[in-house]
Amino acid sequence: MAEAHSAVAFSFTVTPDGVQAQVNHEAIKAVFYSGVHSWKKRIAQFKNRCHNHVYPAHPASWVFTVVILLALAMAGFDPYSMISTLQHWMPVFFEFEEQVNFVISVLVVATIAWVLSINIIKYILKMLLEYMSWMYEPRGKMSLRTKIWMGLVKVFSGRNPLLYSFQGSLPKMPVPPVAATIERYLKSVRPLNDDDNYNRLQKLAEEFRDGIANKLQRYLILKSWWATNYVSDWWEEYVYLRGRSPIMVNSNFYGVDAVLVHPTSIQAARAANGVYSMLQFRRSIDREELMPIMLSKTIPLCSSQYERLFNTTRVPGVETDRLVHFGDSKHIAVYHKGRYFKMYIHYKGRLLTAQEIEIMLQKILDDESEPVEGEEHLAALTAGDRVPWAKARLQYFAKGVNKSSLDAIEKAAFCLTLEDEAQDYDPNDHTALDRFGSALLHGKGYDRWFDKSFSLVVFSNGRIGFNAEHSWADAPIMAQLWEVTAATESHPRGSPKGNPYGEDGHCIGEVKIQPPNPIRLQWEISEQCCNIIENSLQVANNLLEDVDLHVLMHNAFGKGLMKRCKMSPDAYIQMGLQLAYFRDAGKFCLTYEASMTRLYREGRTETVRSCTVDSCNFVRAMCDKSKTKEEKKALLSKATDSHQQGYRDAMTGKGIDRHLFCLYVVSKYLGVDSPFLKEVLSEPWRLSTSQTPHQQTDKLDLVKYPQHISGGGGFGPVADDGYGVSYVVAGEDNIFFHISCKKSFSGTNSFKFGKRITQSLSDIKDLFDL
C-alpha cells in the first residue's frame, strides 16, 4: 500500500543459502488497484471520444443506418450503383461468397453515408452557431428570424451532450477588419484626450491603417485559418507565462466563502467536504458528465478551459514559464504550520469519502512535528520573481529527495492549506472581510503554492476560500467549481439531498476502511537555497504590504431593483463605477471590463472599454446640479445602451484590444515597428473591473436558500495609481465588491472608493421613482 513513502512491491536478497525474496502484498494490491483505475479511465475516455466525434449523432445510429440501407438494398435500391460496384470489385481483393460480398458492400456504403451525414450535420450546426445577431436584439423581444434560428439550433444540437460534445461544432473566432477595429479604438479614447492629443492619435492610427496594418492582418488571417483560436495561445504565452514579475497579487485571483452561513466550525470537517466535493467535480470532468454551459439553454459555450482545472501546475523558466498538466493524480498536497504532506485520496480502487478524508486531515492537524530548515517559507519561491525561482528549481530541486517532494506538490490534484488562524464575516466590523480577502489574495506570502492551478484554503474556524493561478483559465471556471462545492452544503439536515455535516459538525457517514496515513514530505534545503527563499519572501512581503484591499457588501439593493429600472445590472454597476471614479479622481480613465469569448472555440476573454463618450456625458450630468432628473435618466439610458453594445461586440469577436494585441505580436515576429500599436499597448488601465459569474448551474437554489449567496472574489490592482474592482451580483438584494489599490500611491484608497461606489449606486437609484 502507499502508506510508506518508499513502499516496494518486490525485493530480494542474495545470501550463502540462496536467494530470498520478499513480496509486499499491500504494495502489490496498490499497484493492481492503480492499474485497474487507470484502465477504467482510459476506456471511459475512449468511449467519450467516440461519442464526441460523432455528436450530435449517436454511435448507435450507425447500426440504424446499416439496417435501413440493408433493407433498401435487398429491395433493389442501390444509390449511384455503389453497392453493385463494390460487389464487382470485391473478388479482386477478397474471396468471399456472393452474399458475404453483398453484406460487406452494404456495410461500407452505409458507413460512408453515416460519416458523411454526421459531418454535414456538424457543419450545419457550426454555421448556425456563427449567427450572432440574436445577441443584439432587445431582451424579451425575439425576431422571427432568431426564433427560427433557435429552433434549428435545438434540432441540430442533439440530446444528452457530454462536456466536450460541442467542441467540434463551435465556430472559430473571426478576425475583424483593421479599419473597423481602429474606428472603435478611436471612439473609445475620444473622451480621454483633448483635441490635440486625439488628433495625434488619429494621425498615428491612419498611418498604421494605410501602412503595415494590411500586411500584419494577412498573417493574422492566415493564423486564424490554421489555429483553433487566433488569440488564446498568444494571450496565454505573452500576457501570462512570459511575465517575469511575481504572480502573487499581480496575476493570481481569489474567492471567498458564502459568508452569511457557517456550516461547521470544525476545520478538518469543512476541509474534508471541500476536498471531496472538488474531487467529485473532477470526476464529472474526467467522465464528461458535467453539462456544458448553455446560454438560453440552447447556445453552447466552449468547455476547453475545464481540462486544466485539476492536476496542473505552472513551472518557472528563465525566459518563460510553462503549464504542465498531468493525466491523473491520486493525491493532494497539504500545507499546515510550515510542513508539507502528501495525502492520498484514492485507496483500494476507490475515491475516499469525506469522512475518511476528515480522519486523515485531523492527523495532520494533530501532528506536532516541526518544519525542517527552509520548509516553512519554501512557497515564497512561487510568490517572488520568476527568474530566481526558475534558477533555484534547476539547481536545488532537480534531483534527490527535493525533486521527489516537489513532484508530490506539482503532480497533486490541487493544494490544500490548513490555516492556524481564523477569518470571518462580521457585519459590525467592515475590516473583517478585508482581512478575509487579503488572507486569500496573498496570505503571508509563503503559505500558498501560487503555481498550482488552485489552492483550497481552510481557516481554523472552518471558513474556506481559494487562491487560483490565472494562466490556465479564467474566473468563471473556478466560480463554477466553487458554486458546486457550496451547493453541497446548502441543503438543510433531513432534506432529501441531505447536508454533509452532522449535529456535531463532523462529516456524516460510515468509515468503511481505515484510510492511509498522510506522508510528511522530506526536504534537504541548503543554506544557499534558504537565502534565495528569504530573498523571494522579502519581494513577496514588499508586494503584499503595499496592497490596500476592501471587500464591500452592498445590501441596500441588488439586481432586483436594477431590473425594475429596466436596465442590465452589469451596465448599471459600470455606470456607478464611472461616476465613483470621476468623483474620486476628478477625471475619467481608461476602463477595463473583462468579457468572455467562449461562444468561439478555445475563446477566453475580450476587453469592454466601459468609459465611453456617452458614459462621460452621463457622469458630467450627474455632477451638474442644473440638469433635471429626466435629462440625467435619458443620458443614463444612452450610456447603458452604449455599454451593452460594446459588451456584445466583445463577446462576438468584434472587440478592440485582443485584435490589436495580436497585430502587435505579429509585428514583433516580423521585426517591424508600429508607433501606434506601441502606444495602444502601453496605455494604463487605471480602473480594471470584472464581474464574477454567479449561478452558472442549477445546483445552487438561491430562492430556497438565499443565505448561501457567494461572497465572490477579487484580484490585485493592475496599475500603480489605479483600482482593481471585482464584483458579484449575489441574489436579488446583494452585491459584493472587492476593491484593491496600492498604499504607495496617495491618490487611491480602497475603503474611500467603496464609499464612492455605494453613493453612486444610490444616486442612480434616486433617478427612478421606486
Side-chain angles (χ1 to χ4, degrees):
M1 150 24 237
E3 283 190 36
H5 190 51
S6 58
V8 178
F10 174 81
S11 62
F12 67 91
T13 56
V14 179
T15 68
D17 297 326
V19 178
Q20 296 180 348
Q22 298 88 33
V23 178
N24 186 324
H25 295 285
E26 286 297 311
I28 290 291
K29 285 182 182 179
V31 171
F32 173 76
Y33 286 130
S34 177
V36 170
H37 173 76
S38 297
W39 275 105
K40 281 183 178 179
K41 187 172 181 180
R42 289 190 188 117
I43 292 169
Q45 288 174 340
F46 176 76
K47 179 182 175 183
N48 289 338
R49 279 196 294 269
C50 292
H51 181 281
N52 293 334
H53 276 306
V54 302
Y55 193 85
H58 192 278
S61 62
W62 176 80
V63 178
F64 178 78
T65 306
V66 170
V67 170
I68 292 296
L69 190 58
L70 184 61
L72 291 173
M74 292 177 70
F77 177 73
D78 185 3
Y80 302 103
S81 302
M82 293 176 66
I83 297 174
S84 58
T85 302
L86 280 172
Q87 277 186 279
H88 174 75
W89 287 101
M90 193 72 69
V92 175
F93 303 101
F94 306 102
E95 294 184 3
F96 295 128
E97 295 182 4
E98 185 176 349
Q99 289 181 337
V100 175
N101 286 341
F102 172 73
V103 172
I104 292 175
S105 299
V106 170
L107 285 174
V108 171
V109 173
T111 301
I112 293 172
W114 180 68
V115 171
L116 186 63
S117 300
I118 287 170
N119 281 281
I120 290 173
I121 293 171
K122 289 171 80 78
Y123 181 76
I124 292 173
L125 180 58
K126 180 178 284 191
M127 294 294 290
L128 287 169
L129 293 176
E130 288 180 354
Y131 173 78
M132 296 293 172
S133 297
W134 63 272
M135 191 173 291
Y136 292 87
E137 295 183 355
R139 183 177 291 274
K141 296 180 181 179
M142 190 182 295
S143 67
L144 178 61
R145 182 183 181 185
T146 297
K147 287 179 181 177
I148 295 172
W149 169 80
M150 193 83 74
L152 288 172
V153 170
K154 289 180 179 179
V155 168
F156 284 95
S157 289
R159 294 185 298 174
N160 304 319
L162 299 177
L163 178 61
Y164 302 122
S165 290
F166 288 109
Q167 292 301 101
S169 300
L170 289 173
K172 288 188 175 183
M173 185 184 293
V175 181
V178 171
T181 299
I182 290 175
E183 182 182 349
R184 283 191 286 268
Y185 167 76
L186 291 173
K187 186 178 179 181
S188 73
V189 298
R190 185 63 188 95
L192 304 174
N193 294 275
D194 57 29
D195 291 343
D196 290 340
N197 203 42
Y198 179 75
N199 290 334
R200 182 185 65 83
L201 284 172
Q202 193 172 37
K203 184 179 179 181
L204 284 175
E206 289 171 354
E207 290 174 352
F208 171 72
R209 183 194 62 201
D210 299 333
I212 64 168
N214 289 331
K215 181 180 180 180
L216 302 181
Q217 179 80 345
R218 285 195 293 271
Y219 278 96
L220 204 55
I221 291 173
L222 181 63
K223 188 199 175 190
S224 74
W225 292 345
W226 179 255
T228 307
N229 188 292
Y230 82 92
V231 177
S232 295
D233 58 338
W234 284 351
W235 186 254
E236 180 178 298
E237 179 180 357
Y238 293 108
V239 172
Y240 293 114
L241 298 180
R242 281 189 179 267
R244 301 295 80 201
S245 59
I247 61 175
M248 182 195 77
V249 175
N250 294 325
S251 178
N252 284 31
F253 59 96
Y254 70 90
V256 300
D257 203 354
V259 297
L260 298 182
V261 292
H262 200 158
T264 180
S265 59
I266 298 176
Q267 186 178 21
R270 191 82 194 278
N273 183 68
V275 169
Y276 181 73
S277 299
M278 290 175 171
L279 293 173
Q280 291 285 79
F281 192 82
R282 183 180 72 162
R283 175 181 286 179
S284 69
I285 293 175
D286 290 341
R287 296 178 177 178
E288 297 191 39
E289 295 168 350
L290 188 69
M291 282 289 293
I293 300 293
M294 311 281 281
L295 298 183
S296 302
K297 298 182 179 180
T298 304
I299 304 116
L301 298 184
C302 178
S303 299
S304 64
Q305 293 184 43
Y306 293 98
E307 294 175 12
R308 298 184 293 185
L309 174 54
F310 296 94
N311 323 331
T312 300
T313 194
R314 177 171 175 160
V315 176
V318 175
E319 293 184 358
T320 182
D321 294 353
R322 58 193 174 93
L323 281 172
V324 178
H325 174 70
F326 303 96
D328 194 14
S329 179
K330 297 180 178 64
H331 73 276
I332 63 171
V334 184
Y335 177 89
H336 176 59
K337 288 187 176 180
R339 295 93 36 89
Y340 286 92
F341 297 84
K342 179 179 181 179
M343 194 180 86
Y344 284 94
I345 46 170
H346 271 270
Y347 183 51
K348 293 191 174 180
R350 69 169 177 84
L351 177 66
L352 294 172
T353 64
Q355 303 79 26
E356 293 158 351
I357 293 172
E358 182 181 351
I359 292 172
M360 293 189 292
L361 291 175
Q362 191 60 52
K363 288 180 180 178
I364 293 175
L365 292 171
D366 294 339
D367 189 318
E368 297 181 355
S369 61
E370 294 294 323
V372 300
E373 184 70 21
E375 182 181 14
E376 181 177 14
H377 295 166
L378 179 61
L381 290 170
T382 69
D385 292 319
R386 304 303 292 173
V387 174
W389 170 211
K391 291 180 178 179
R393 190 177 188 276
L394 290 173
Q395 186 171 357
Y396 301 107
F397 298 91
K399 60 183 179 180
V401 67
N402 286 352
K403 184 181 188 303
S404 298
S405 294
L406 181 62
D407 281 348
I409 295 173
E410 293 185 335
K411 293 180 179 180
F414 57 90
C415 284
L416 167 66
T417 296
L418 297 173
E419 283 277 8
D420 54 354
E421 296 178 355
Q423 299 292 343
D424 212 339
Y425 164 66
D426 184 351
N428 299 315
D429 179 9
H430 70 82
T431 64
L433 275 181
D434 301 351
R435 293 191 297 271
F436 200 163
S438 296
L440 294 167
L441 177 62
H442 50 66
K444 298 172 184 174
Y446 60 80
D447 50 359
R448 314 276 183 269
W449 199 269
F450 293 99
D451 283 354
K452 281 301 287 183
S453 54
F454 73 92
S455 295
L456 174 64
V457 182
V458 184
F459 297 95
S460 60
N461 60 341
R463 283 296 187 189
I464 62 173
F466 71 82
N467 180 285
E469 201 275 323
H470 207 332
S471 63
W472 60 272
D474 301 306
I477 307 302
M478 277 304 302
Q480 185 176 351
L481 169 65
W482 205 235
E483 182 179 320
V484 171
T485 302
T488 64
E489 302 174 328
S490 65
H491 305 287
R493 295 186 184 93
S495 65
K497 293 187 178 181
N499 189 279
Y501 309 108
E503 296 291 343
D504 59 357
H506 289 280
C507 293
I508 60 173
E510 180 184 354
V511 178
K512 296 181 180 179
I513 57 173
Q514 186 62 32
N517 291 321
I519 300 167
R520 174 76 188 275
L521 297 184
Q522 304 299 312
W523 307 93
E524 294 176 356
I525 301 175
S526 66
E527 183 179 350
Q528 295 86 347
C529 186
C530 284
N531 291 334
I532 296 171
I533 292 171
E534 293 305 312
N535 288 337
S536 292
L537 180 58
Q538 186 58 52
V539 172
N541 282 334
N542 292 339
L543 184 58
L544 67 88
E545 287 171 2
D546 195 28
V547 175
D548 178 16
L549 180 69
H550 176 53
V551 182
L552 167 66
M553 181 179 177
H554 180 277
N555 53 14
F557 58 88
K559 69 177 181 182
L561 181 137
M562 296 173 184
K563 289 179 179 179
R564 284 158 56 199
C565 296
K566 298 181 179 180
M567 208 178 302
S568 156
D570 181 71
Y572 187 112
I573 293 170
Q574 284 292 327
M575 294 308 107
L577 291 174
Q578 290 299 311
L579 180 55
Y581 186 86
F582 185 80
R583 287 170 170 173
D584 186 73
K587 60 182 179 181
F588 298 106
C589 73
L590 194 62
T591 305
Y592 181 112
E593 181 186 5
S595 165
M596 67 92 175
T597 55
R598 288 169 62 198
L599 289 167
Y600 300 101
R601 190 169 182 180
E602 294 187 11
R604 290 197 59 164
T605 61
E606 177 59 277
T607 305
V608 181
R609 295 182 167 227
S610 302
C611 182
T612 63
V613 172
D614 293 325
S615 71
C616 292
N617 290 337
F618 161 69
V619 168
R620 291 192 188 97
M622 289 294 289
C623 299
D624 185 351
K625 295 181 180 179
S626 67
K627 295 291 185 180
T628 66
K629 185 182 289 188
E630 293 305 316
E631 288 175 315
K632 293 176 182 177
K633 283 174 65 177
L635 290 170
L636 173 62
S637 178
K638 190 174 181 181
T640 55
D641 287 346
S642 178
H643 180 267
Q644 287 293 92
Q645 179 71 20
Y647 208 101
R648 292 170 181 134
D649 285 345
M651 288 183 67
T652 55
K654 292 181 286 188
I656 300 167
D657 293 277
R658 300 299 180 271
H659 184 202
L660 294 179
F661 162 76
C662 288
L663 290 172
Y664 179 77
V665 173
V666 174
S667 74
K668 289 301 175 184
Y669 276 121
L670 297 178
V672 296
D673 188 50
S674 168
F676 170 70
L677 291 176
K678 187 175 181 180
E679 177 147 350
V680 170
L681 270 74
S682 64
E683 293 169 339
W685 300 97
R686 290 191 172 87
L687 184 56
S688 182
T689 71
S690 178
Q691 179 180 184
T692 303
H694 199 31
Q695 283 190 287
Q696 297 183 79
T697 69
D698 58 359
K699 300 291 185 183
L700 189 60
D701 189 345
L702 292 181
V703 176
K704 281 187 177 181
Y705 313 113
Q707 297 300 303
H708 287 266
I709 55 173
S710 169
F715 51 88
V718 175
D720 291 341
D721 57 349
Y723 291 102
V725 182
S726 176
Y727 53 94
V728 57
V729 183
E732 295 294 309
D733 302 307
N734 292 280
I735 309 169
F736 284 89
F737 290 92
H738 297 251
I739 307 159
S740 64
C741 61
K742 292 195 173 182
K743 296 176 182 176
S744 55
F745 181 68
S746 60
T748 55
N749 181 286
S750 64
F751 180 73
K752 177 185 171 185
F753 194 59
K755 290 286 188 183
R756 296 282 194 192
I757 293 173
T758 300
Q759 185 61 52
S760 296
L761 296 178
S762 178
D763 290 345
I764 294 175
K765 177 182 75 72
D766 291 342
L767 297 178
F768 300 87
D769 299 322
L770 298 174

